[in-house]
Amino acid sequence: METTQSARIALIEDDEIVRQATTQWLQLAGFDVVEFGLGNEAFDVIQHQAFDAIISDVRLPDIDGIMLLEKLIDSGVSAPVLIITGHGDVDMAVKALHLGAFDFIEKPFQPDRLSSRVSQAVEQFRAQTSTQLRGEYLASLSGLEKVLVGQSEVMKRLREQVARIALIDTNVIIYGETGCGKELVANSLHKGSGRKSHQFVPINCGAIPENLFESELFGHEAGAFTGAAKKRIGKLEYADKGTLFLDEIESMPAAMQVKVLRSLQENTVERVGGNKQINIDLRVVAAAKEDLREHPEFRQDLYYRLNVAQIYIPPLRERGEDILTLFEHFAKESNRNARSVSDADKKAMMSYGWPGNVRELRNVATRFALDNTMSVLEILSNRPVASSEPNSTGVPLAVQLHNFERKVLEEALTRHQGRINDVMQELDLPRRTLNQKMQKFGLNRSDFTDP
């Protein structure tokens, strides 16, 4: 009931005693109820105000419930409508269902049944509305929003910060965990700057062997060392008038830090084996997973040279409201006709810690979009736990329960060699429930019977 508390309900009932009693039942269940005695009166208000569900008696003094339902649908009201019927109005209720009513409930009804159906209607409506809003948001993306996707407040602030800092021609340090999009932010800074017509040059400091670092950054002259058959332009020189992105800068060897600092101070580079000072004009955007001030092997003078502006990218677990939006965005990128995500998959995604952040989410969404046989829950349950990542929550409870339930069923089917009646008796499950669970986990009776 927690998800439907504070839901706003329109109740249309001409019998004042029934209306008051129904209002009290719904209020006790946590709903905010607005009462109406006439259908047309209700229609005038519902057109202009937001409701999560509408409950209407089928027989009203001024208009019957079917006509009211048709008017609501024609006017574009999307909130679910539940029709309350008398014993002799079943045919009319069935017609209402064909027209698009969510459900009908016969009088007299139990209060719990009414509140339960209203809860289901509200939850379904909110889920559909949320999906529609995410779709509309994704369809409307442009510019920076199309690159740094998300509707959470932290992402809105991040986009504002990136747009602002991009216009300031200064060095920047970006902090964020693995997979959270540091290179995307760096590229966005470049594309929003006055240097956008020149090169954006990314380099991963953690991926370069130490003996090749100097040549990679500064270049070399022909014959500078064994194997240097011809002149090579280094990354700093290549990034002239553009942006140099130094990812995982905390991995840069100490000897290189001294040389990079000198180049940035003097705005020059000297190729390995050369004597000429080459002028450069570039912006440096550095990225790190940890605070460089706390890193024992990182030079403080280089830190202060780079740390003119600073950007922090929050991990995915701190922007949970963006998870489903990003998932749909990545799934549609891989397959325009990607299937919808089930409620169980949504819960699994929201409870998972995403130690690999947006990169991991993209991988899961791509696999889901390209493999129609796998649910998100199954994809997550088969992924290794990245326990080495900070603040990893490991395998979510939903995934653990999924795996445990499947194991119990498999073991029972194996013990009883696929005899369904024996499995039903051991696990105390009705046949229909057992069949549904076997279908859910892709288990076939024939796989457990003797050949």
Side-chain angles (χ1 to χ4, degrees):
M1 183 59 65
E2 187 176 10
T3 59
T4 57
Q5 284 183 348
S6 77
R8 195 160 183 256
I9 310 299
L11 173 62
I12 310 164
E13 168 63 65
D14 62 308
D15 187 315
E16 186 175 356
I17 296 175
V18 174
R19 186 172 68 246
Q20 289 178 354
T22 305
T23 296
Q24 290 177 1
W25 294 334
L26 292 171
Q27 287 174 339
L28 287 172
F31 297 104
D32 178 16
V33 183
V34 180
E35 300 178 32
F36 301 97
L38 297 173
N40 287 320
E41 172 194 9
F43 177 75
D44 291 340
V45 174
I46 293 170
Q47 279 189 99
H48 306 291
Q49 295 185 20
F51 289 90
D52 294 291
I54 301 163
I55 305 170
S56 176
D57 192 5
V58 76
R59 297 193 180 277
L60 298 167
D62 57 338
I63 185 174
D64 67 58
I66 300 298
M67 291 179 63
L68 176 60
L69 174 64
E70 290 177 325
K71 287 182 67 175
L72 290 169
I73 292 172
D74 290 343
S75 66
V77 173
S78 56
V81 179
L82 294 90
I83 299 292
I84 304 295
T85 70
H87 180 67
D89 296 324
V90 175
D91 288 343
M92 193 178 292
V94 171
K95 182 180 178 182
L97 292 179
H98 285 303
L99 287 172
F102 178 82
D103 199 1
F104 71 89
I105 299 175
E106 281 190 86
K107 295 178 182 178
F109 51 82
Q110 292 296 319
D112 288 346
R113 169 167 165 69
L114 176 64
S115 59
S116 174
R117 293 303 288 152
V118 173
S119 294
Q120 292 172 19
V122 170
E123 288 175 2
Q124 181 175 311
F125 175 61
R126 288 184 170 178
Q128 290 172 345
T129 302
S130 179
T131 300
Q132 181 182 352
L133 290 174
R134 287 196 300 272
E136 291 173 354
Y137 166 72
L138 291 173
S140 68
L141 293 182
S142 62
L144 199 54
E145 273 191 301
K146 205 162 189 174
V147 179
L148 304 177
V149 178
Q151 296 172 280
S152 62
E153 286 302 317
V154 292
M155 283 306 292
K156 291 176 183 176
R157 288 196 296 271
L158 177 62
R159 286 194 294 267
E160 290 172 0
Q161 187 180 21
V162 169
R164 186 172 63 252
I165 293 176
L167 298 173
I168 306 170
D169 193 27
T170 189
N171 296 335
V172 184
I173 296 179
I174 301 171
Y175 287 108
E177 295 179 7
T178 297
C180 67
K182 297 187 288 292
E183 186 168 344
L184 276 177
V185 169
N187 206 346
S188 297
L189 287 170
H190 173 71
K191 289 181 177 178
S193 74
R195 299 177 179 269
K196 61 186 176 183
S197 59
H198 299 280
Q199 296 289 344
F200 173 77
V201 182
I203 183 167
N204 189 324
C205 298
I208 304 173
E210 188 167 350
N211 63 323
L212 298 179
F213 224 110
E214 186 173 12
S215 176
E216 187 72 19
L217 286 180
F218 296 93
H220 61 255
E221 298 289 354
F225 50 84
T226 303
K230 58 182 180 179
K231 179 178 71 175
R232 183 180 187 279
I233 302 297
K235 298 295 187 184
L236 274 78
E237 187 178 346
Y238 185 59
D240 183 37
K241 295 184 175 56
T243 302
L244 178 70
F245 175 53
L246 297 173
D247 197 8
E248 296 188 26
I249 195 171
E250 67 270 28
S251 304
M252 183 181 287
M256 283 300 99
Q257 292 180 36
V258 176
K259 294 184 177 182
V260 169
L261 174 62
R262 181 177 177 182
S263 279
L264 297 182
Q265 287 175 335
E266 298 179 1
N267 293 319
T268 61
V269 294
E270 184 179 309
R271 298 179 193 136
V272 177
N275 296 311
K276 181 182 178 182
Q277 296 290 318
I278 302 167
N279 292 327
I280 56 171
D281 170 23
L282 53 80
R283 178 189 208 176
V284 178
V285 178
K289 295 190 290 291
E290 55 189 289
D291 191 339
L292 294 175
R293 290 174 300 180
E294 306 298 325
H295 198 288
E297 297 179 3
F298 198 83
R299 294 182 62 93
Q300 292 300 293
D301 46 4
L302 178 56
Y303 165 77
Y304 288 115
R305 170 65 60 176
L306 297 172
N307 193 53
V308 182
Q310 190 178 112
I311 294 174
Y312 168 72
I313 307 176
L316 191 56
R317 62 180 173 274
E318 290 181 9
R319 38 184 291 222
E321 62 194 279
D322 290 334
I323 290 173
L324 297 180
T325 301
L326 283 166
F327 184 89
E328 291 178 9
H329 175 65
F330 295 142
K332 294 294 184 185
E333 275 188 343
S334 300
N335 181 357
R336 290 179 60 188
N337 299 313
R339 58 205 157 106
S340 299
V341 183
S342 69
D343 289 341
D345 280 346
K346 290 177 182 178
K347 289 177 182 177
M349 283 192 282
M350 296 303 290
S351 64
Y352 186 53
W354 299 106
N357 289 292
V358 177
R359 183 183 297 136
E360 182 182 14
L361 178 66
R362 178 191 284 273
N363 292 342
V364 172
T366 300
R367 186 174 175 187
F368 174 84
L370 299 178
D371 186 350
N372 287 329
T373 67
M374 296 284 283
S375 67
V376 174
L377 197 60
E378 289 169 328
I379 294 170
L380 289 176
S381 67
N382 292 326
R383 294 177 78 79
V385 181
S387 57
S388 61
E389 290 291 343
N391 300 317
S392 171
T393 61
V395 180
L397 179 61
V399 174
Q400 294 182 54
L401 291 174
H402 175 92
N403 293 339
F404 177 75
E405 189 175 13
R406 180 190 176 105
K407 183 180 179 182
V408 168
L409 283 173
E410 286 180 332
E411 290 177 348
L413 285 162
T414 301
R415 275 193 301 274
H416 297 292
Q417 297 179 341
R419 294 189 297 272
I420 297 299
N421 288 336
D422 292 343
V423 175
M424 288 166 51
Q425 185 173 356
E426 179 187 332
L427 301 180
D428 191 24
L429 288 175
R431 178 179 289 275
R432 182 178 180 183
T433 302
L434 178 59
N435 288 342
Q436 288 173 340
K437 289 184 179 297
M438 288 177 65
Q439 184 178 8
K440 171 184 174 183
F441 296 116
L443 302 175
N444 297 310
R445 175 180 173 275
S446 59
D447 294 336
F448 299 91
T449 55
D450 288 333

